[in-house]
Amino acid sequence: MFFIKSIYLLVVLFIYETHCINYAPVVTTRNGQVRGIIKTLDDGTELYVYDGIPYAEPPIGNLRFRKPVPIGNWSGVYDAVKYRQSCIQPDKLEPDNNIPEESIKSEDCLFLTVWSPLPKTCGTKRPVLYWIYGGGFETGTIFSIVNDVRYVAAMGDVIVVTVNYRLGPWGFLYAGTDDAAGNMGLYDQLEGMRWVKKNIEFFGGDPNLVTIFGESAGGMSVGAHVVSPLGAGLFRRAILQSGAPNSYLGSESREKSYNKTLYLARNLNCSTESGRAIVDCLRLKTADQILNISKTARKDSKSFEPIFGEDLMPVQALDALQKGQFNQDIDLMYGTVSQEGALFVESLFPNVFDPSIPKPKINVVAAKQYIQFLYMVFKEPYGGEVADFYTRGLADTDYDRLRQAVGYGFGDYNMACPTVVFGREFALHSQGNRVYAFRVTHPPTIPVFPNCKGWMGVCHGDDVLLLFGFPIRLRGITFTESDYQISRDMIQAWAEFARTGSPSKMGSANWSEAIDRQSDSPYTKYMDLNPNNYSMVSDYYKESCEGLWLKLWNVKK
Ligand SMILES: *[C@@H]1O[C@H](CO)[C@@H](O)[C@H](O)[C@H]1NC(C)=O
Ligand SMILES: *[C@@H]1O[C@H](CO)[C@@H](O)[C@H](O)[C@H]1NC(C)=O
Ligand SMILES: *[C@@H]1O[C@H](CO)[C@@H](O)[C@H](O)[C@H]1NC(C)=O
Ligand SMILES: *[C@@H]1O[C@H](CO)[C@@H](O)[C@H](O)[C@H]1NC(C)=O
Ligand SMILES: *[C@@H]1O[C@H](CO)[C@@H](O)[C@H](O)[C@H]1NC(C)=O
Ligand SMILES: *[C@@H]1O[C@H](CO)[C@@H](O)[C@H](O)[C@H]1NC(C)=O
């Protein structure tokens, strides 16, 4: 249901690359040799890119639904010079499927890409950033232009690794058997992290200085690794953007997940008498048959997501944080955009939430009804309380603020407050770790989704557009100087966090830590990512995430 239509940005940003191939040096990994390609930024800066290196055996045939098997050795030189297959996923709308990098999909998709600035002569190792894409655990690929991290690598002077992981039932089916135990997509990410630990030094990266980062489902994944006993020792720092494992889509019980498995099995005429029978039957179905059902499953809220109660995430994330059972030796950064929910409510109710309608049919009562409707869909009992909270003080003619209220009602529950609460609990139950928060309040001139305008502020996903430097690439063409500045400053801050554990200042504004552990009332203090006025803001979440939501989620203060 909550599936965004299309990433329109591609139309603007699809820049054809030169067709003559300049090879990057051959690197010898522990599994064999790889040849890369040299990519050139518009300003002439060169990067070595090793595109689509296999890190696990193809999870096909009998390996379907199994945890990834580390890649075996190969002989000869593997050509890591072009895109490979994306993990199988529903088609997106045009124009995305016109781009070959996005349209070639397969179960055989466990590849990662290494983006590296040219080696330093003195041979010092660079910090590594490891990117986990979002897409609701149903879509996403490292071969999409939206996950092109060349500017982060070049301007941040860091190595960036991007990883494909399995999606939908292939990544998250739970059948209660050893060979379909759930969380396979998270295990893929973990296997990629192990690959980095073992191999990144050959690319000039420091295996002991890895920062994992991700947005939306990627942020939820990053949070899962933060609380996972299996993540220990694989990374030094983590960044959660607009998502945490305690988000609505972030994780669920095995029982709930198994119900989705039953739904899939029934719709494919498989016996549902046992998990064993289901897995054996599903292994015989074609990928297209499974994909076909997954599409209807989304409408029925039967899409798969990670589970807790399993080796990778033994307990719910917030419980793990409160018990101190998480990777205590890491630094954390977390943050959101100003209007996480806007795109979703706009796509659900365009007749009212389309920002081009100046006086939509909405008033206080209607706004409350929209919120209550959403909480019925979420199957949460507290829709009325949430509706009252977000509409308090508003008048029937506050069209934009009423629409924003519904946007917050959606986004605070799904993305913003889970992320803020995750960061807060991490900070409060750890010592000595550095913890920083941010909130993006500067809307890029061209947002990721073209509908994002007016009342909608900064929409879900726009932080990635800024962080990946699209305004640098298109400076003065489609993006303004402010867009350029925030892009540049975010790349520097993220890279410096990866290097040292503290982000570099934004303009003249220093960051301070998100949570004052000594305080009796520790409220999240964040860097307001607005290039016209970078500054630390306190107490913004005091009443929402750190008031209402801590209470509704029964989080002990
Ligand atoms: C793969 O190659 C590495 C050396 O790079 C070697 O240590 C390892 O034993 C090999 N693995 C297999 C399964 O042959
Ligand atoms: C699973 O589905 C059954 C039947 O539809 C339902 O009664 C049960 O509450 C569901 N369990 C969970 C944990 O959602
Ligand atoms: C399941 O069985 C029904 C009835 O036999 C049939 O109409 C339908 O096409 C089957 N579906 C699949 C996915 O095999
Ligand atoms: C996909 O599902 C539709 C109905 O839901 C059915 O008509 C069609 O045959 C299915 N296609 C495949 C490949 O299973
Ligand atoms: C920012 O931090 C630096 C280094 O800690 C310090 O020298 C500087 O005075 C700080 N700037 C402001 C505006 O607080
Ligand atoms: C900059 O932001 C701070 C903190 O939100 C605020 O107090 C101040 O008024 C802002 N300054 C301007 C010029 O907008």
Side-chain angles (χ1 to χ4, degrees):
M1 166 177 199
F2 305 119
F3 186 70
I4 301 177
K5 285 167 260 176
S6 168
I7 301 194
Y8 185 74
L9 180 75
L10 298 171
V11 189
V12 185
L13 288 179
F14 189 45
I15 297 168
Y16 290 88
E17 305 206 317
T18 160
H19 285 289
C20 90
I21 293 186
N22 290 313
Y23 290 108
V26 169
V27 170
T28 304
T29 73
R30 293 198 192 276
N31 302 106
Q33 295 184 305
V34 294
R35 186 196 337 265
I37 186 174
I38 298 178
K39 294 201 182 184
T40 309
L41 269 48
D42 297 339
D43 70 359
T45 310
E46 291 187 333
L47 282 178
Y48 291 161
V49 181
Y50 297 84
D51 209 2
I53 303 173
Y55 67 90
E57 292 294 325
I60 55 178
N62 201 36
L63 292 185
R64 183 190 271 176
F65 306 132
R66 283 183 200 264
K67 290 176 191 167
V69 176
I71 190 75
N73 294 347
W74 60 82
S75 56
V77 181
Y78 177 90
D79 262 330
V81 300
K82 65 175 178 64
Y83 61 87
R84 305 270 167 176
Q85 305 88 280
S86 304
C87 291
I88 192 159
Q89 56 191 280
D91 290 342
K92 284 181 265 171
L93 296 184
E94 299 293 313
D96 316 45
N97 285 314
N98 292 333
I99 300 173
E101 286 89 327
E102 299 226 340
S103 60
I104 299 175
K105 297 166 193 155
S106 167
E107 290 186 64
D108 174 7
C109 63
L110 299 185
F111 303 100
L112 52 76
T113 295
V114 178
W115 305 74
S116 167
L118 301 197
K120 292 189 181 172
T121 43
C122 62
T124 48
K125 301 226 172 290
R126 289 192 169 94
V128 180
L129 279 152
Y130 182 85
W131 174 248
I132 303 176
Y133 52 70
F137 299 110
E138 284 199 288
T139 64
T141 169
I142 58 172
F143 302 119
S144 163
I145 196 165
V146 297
N147 291 309
D148 184 325
V149 294
R150 65 182 69 195
Y151 279 86
V152 183
M155 296 185 70
D157 195 27
V158 291
I159 296 205
V160 189
V161 178
T162 55
V163 64
N164 264 1
Y165 60 94
R166 280 173 284 173
L167 302 162
W170 292 274
F172 297 95
L173 179 92
Y174 168 74
T177 64
D178 283 349
D179 57 352
N183 288 348
M184 292 78 75
L186 297 182
Y187 280 94
D188 293 343
Q189 299 163 6
L190 193 68
E191 191 56 44
M193 284 150 63
R194 292 183 177 131
W195 183 95
V196 165
K197 189 87 185 173
K198 284 190 285 209
N199 291 292
I200 206 64
E201 61 177 308
F202 308 125
F203 298 84
D206 184 344
N208 298 315
L209 202 52
V210 177
T211 297
I212 60 175
F213 70 139
E215 185 262 351
S216 197
M220 300 173 195
S221 302
V222 167
H225 298 300
V226 168
V227 298
S228 174
L230 306 184
L234 291 174
F235 56 95
R236 274 276 289 281
R237 321 194 206 283
I239 306 174
L240 279 73
Q241 302 177 211
S242 305
N246 44 309
S247 299
Y248 177 63
L249 260 180
S251 59
E252 64 185 356
S253 69
R254 289 178 295 177
E255 292 72 22
K256 278 196 179 156
S257 188
Y258 193 72
N259 269 1
K260 296 175 176 176
T261 304
L262 293 174
Y263 173 96
L264 181 67
R266 274 190 215 107
N267 282 288
L268 285 166
N269 292 345
C270 288
S271 157
T272 54
E273 109 201 2
S274 67
R276 176 79 268 132
I278 292 174
V279 177
D280 290 345
C281 177
L282 290 179
R283 284 231 166 85
L284 298 174
K285 302 293 177 189
T286 66
D288 280 347
Q289 286 173 310
I290 297 174
L291 188 64
N292 201 17
I293 305 304
S294 312
K295 286 180 197 165
T296 10
R298 187 185 324 121
K299 292 196 204 86
D300 291 344
S301 301
K302 300 286 187 200
S303 294
F304 290 97
E305 62 187 78
I307 55 169
F308 53 81
E310 180 275 336
D311 291 350
L312 195 142
M313 208 180 346
V315 297
Q316 292 196 53
L318 286 185
D319 287 349
L321 290 172
Q322 294 212 315
K323 291 180 184 139
Q325 294 168 354
F326 56 90
N327 293 304
Q328 286 276 353
D329 54 349
I330 64 166
D331 300 311
L332 191 80
M333 224 163 102
Y334 62 99
T336 71
V337 297
S338 73
Q339 258 290 359
E340 294 283 358
L343 280 175
F344 299 88
V345 297
E346 197 270 340
S347 77
L348 287 171
F349 315 111
N351 295 339
V352 170
F353 291 87
D354 180 338
S356 65
I357 302 172
K359 290 187 176 179
K361 284 201 176 120
I362 191 168
N363 55 27
V364 174
V365 170
K368 286 186 185 185
Q369 283 168 348
Y370 281 115
I371 294 176
Q372 285 176 307
F373 169 80
L374 292 170
Y375 283 79
M376 274 167 51
V377 176
F378 304 148
K379 298 196 172 64
E380 297 287 13
Y382 40 66
E385 189 173 349
V386 176
D388 289 344
F389 177 86
Y390 286 101
T391 54
R392 69 203 191 286
L394 297 186
D396 285 340
T397 50
D398 291 338
Y399 300 111
D400 281 352
R401 293 183 65 200
L402 286 168
R403 292 191 284 189
Q404 283 167 354
V406 181
Y408 286 126
F410 185 103
D412 278 7
Y413 168 76
N414 276 287
M415 273 88 63
C417 295
T419 310
V420 168
V421 169
F422 185 98
R424 172 192 161 99
E425 295 303 312
F426 177 96
L428 290 176
H429 296 90
S430 62
Q431 292 160 356
N433 321 48
R434 281 162 291 188
V435 183
Y436 298 93
F438 62 88
R439 183 164 174 266
V440 184
T441 59
H442 171 78
T445 304
I446 309 249
V448 175
F449 296 95
N451 294 1
C452 179
K453 291 193 280 266
W455 70 267
M456 298 169 81
V458 186
C459 293
H460 195 61
D462 283 341
D463 52 330
V464 181
L465 175 147
L466 295 170
L467 180 62
F468 287 1
F470 291 104
I472 298 171
R473 199 166 191 175
L474 299 173
R475 180 183 189 182
I477 301 171
T478 40
F479 289 99
T480 63
E481 209 51 23
S482 296
D483 299 330
Y484 166 81
Q485 271 173 32
I486 184 175
S487 237
R488 179 198 60 194
D489 295 343
M490 282 175 74
I491 290 174
Q492 293 307 332
W494 265 235
E496 188 67 5
F497 176 72
R499 220 182 309 282
T500 66
S502 301
S504 52
K505 59 186 183 177
M506 306 295 294
S508 59
N510 287 335
W511 295 65
S512 35
E513 292 212 34
I515 298 286
D516 176 1
R517 295 182 179 92
Q518 310 309 321
S519 164
D520 294 336
S521 49
Y523 294 111
T524 300
K525 197 190 289 177
Y526 63 77
M527 175 62 80
D528 184 3
L529 293 183
N530 166 9
N532 304 317
N533 184 18
Y534 290 129
S535 50
M536 294 304 298
V537 173
S538 310
D539 289 7
Y540 174 84
Y541 294 116
K542 183 175 181 178
E543 292 184 348
S544 56
C545 300
E546 298 174 309
L548 176 75
W549 287 105
L550 286 184
K551 186 189 77 165
L552 293 177
W553 287 328
N554 286 313
V555 181
K556 292 186 302 283
K557 281 223 193 179

